[in-house]
Amino acid sequence: MEAIAPEEARNILATLSGYDRHEAGRALLATVDLYRRWSDADGAVVERRHHAEKLAMQYLHDVIDQGC
């Protein structure tokens, strides 16, 4: 994949993580970013619920940032 689509390969690599809370959170945020970009570029008809998306992302950030 690196030879055929190097940017996409880097993007997918960013979704991998270990067991650390921040590392897992970073990978999950990268996954969300990929989903948004690829669904927009694909022309898929996805009805976005912006308020729900905002709340979900805030919750994710809160979980990532909270202490152990």
Side-chain angles (χ1 to χ4, degrees), residues 50-64:
H50 295 285
H51 182 66
E53 182 177 332
K54 179 181 175 183
L55 292 174
M57 293 303 296
Q58 181 60 52
Y59 177 75
L60 176 57
H61 283 283
D62 290 347
V63 169
I64 292 168

Side-chain angles (χ1 to χ4, degrees), residues 14-35:
T15 67
L16 302 177
S17 77
Y19 298 104
D20 176 78
R21 172 194 311 271
H22 291 9
E23 195 176 321
R26 178 204 44 79
L28 189 51
L29 291 171
T31 302
V32 169
D33 183 56
L34 272 183
Y35 170 78

